[in-house]
Amino acid sequence: MSSLSLLSRLSSSASPSTRRLLSSSASRPLVDLRSDTVTRPCADMYSAMLSAPVGDDVFGEDPTVAKLESHLASLFGKEAGLFFPTGTQSNLCGLMAHCNSRSSEIILGSNSHLCLYEQGGLSTLGSIHSRQLPEDPETAQVPIDAFVAGVRGDDPHYPRTAVAAIENTHNVLGGKVLPASYISSLGAALAAQDVPLHIDGARIFNACVKLNVTPAELCAGAASVSICLSKGLGSPVGSVLVGSKHVVGLARRARKAAGGGMRQAGVIAAAGLYAVENNVERLADDHQRAEFLCGKLREAGYGIEVAPTTNLCYFTLPDGCALDSGAFADRCKERGVLVGLMYGETFRFATHKDVDDEGLELAAKVFADVLR
Ligand SMILES: *Cc1c(COP(=O)(O)O)cnc(C)c1O
């Protein structure tokens, strides 16, 4: 029997507990709100992986990888796409493509993932100098005139401004959405100085759904976009960089130096395709659920200020709360609810496809009980 027919037999005839085993592993917390990366593939995603045609993608022979890359390129209105195992590698190689000569500089937000959480790979691996500008915490935007003023003049004292980057949605500033008007104006202002714009779009589909615009509309002002399939979209792995053929060609070269390509990667690209085809519209549910949970935190009456815009929410316990942050997280965990504790005092929760209404009711109840 082929593995495919085995899986379909298993999932169609299986008991509910075997079905659960197919889509998750044995010991899981009841509600894991630490990140939207903790999702597990559903049975249909597994069967898409099992039935995917594959080939050696380093030879350019994997039809599933090619399909994923061209599908995302066309969704985003760009010429080409390139598959990566991670968003970190996709960002790095995309930016190395733009910064393809010595003494290149990037302008980016000081609270960006690129700046804070990618180990400074831009400098250590990409030889790219970074100029970091603060975002407005309300809008998660670096003002356009600040970006423009940051572009270097032609002077041997300076690095050469080769690219600028923004993040949409903006993780650390609370899942905030940058609108198409900002991106197109910024893209045009930078293009006038010959500086391309890159979007770290780890959660770009959350932004599209929130704004009700297509990826191509939202990203029209950008030269390249890095898209994560493994966040809210629910793929176990994968990111895609989209841009012009020229930029993607240079990124492919950079990818070789940054660890190389993958071989029969259609096995995982199929999960990404499944995610893009099936899990985009449901992101609106995650946004609604984040709203619901924040409402519960506000209702708990401890003065916790929380206002999510998409699927991420950051909060801190109010002054005078009897619990410290670590104790709050531990008590929630004892009762099966995991929240992320970031930077010492700040919590993050993320809603995602593996948390349903029942899970959220439980989380809300646990939060309220623990705070009581
Ligand atoms: C997760 C994330 C990345 C990197 O993705 P990985 O796949 O974890 O390497 C980049 N940018 C943002 C905003 C992210 O949230």
Side-chain angles (χ1 to χ4, degrees), residues 86-88 91 113 118 167 169 171 200 202-203 228 230-231 239:
T86 71
T88 301
N91 270 333
H113 195 280
E118 300 186 15
E167 185 174 312
T169 65
N171 174 2
D200 176 356
R203 296 187 180 81
C228 280
S230 59
K231 301 277 165 87
S239 279

Side-chain angles (χ1 to χ4, degrees), residues 303-323:
I304 297 179
E305 295 272 341
V306 273
T309 52
T310 50
N311 72 324
L312 303 178
C313 179
Y314 288 83
F315 63 97
T316 49
L317 296 180
D319 294 341
C321 180
L323 289 172

Side-chain angles (χ1 to χ4, degrees), residues 132-201:
Q132 302 160 13
L133 303 176
E135 298 91 342
D136 176 334
E138 291 306 312
T139 62
Q141 297 169 13
V142 174
I144 292 176
D145 50 5
F147 261 120
V148 169
V151 176
R152 307 282 191 170
D154 183 12
D155 181 319
H157 291 88
Y158 300 145
R160 189 182 55 87
T161 307
V163 67
I166 56 175
E167 185 174 312
N168 200 11
T169 65
H170 197 298
N171 174 2
V172 166
L173 295 178
K176 291 209 175 83
V177 171
L178 279 49
S181 56
Y182 170 76
I183 298 174
S184 60
S185 305
L186 176 61
L190 289 167
Q193 315 257 9
D194 272 334
V195 176
L197 176 65
H198 171 83
I199 300 178
D200 176 356

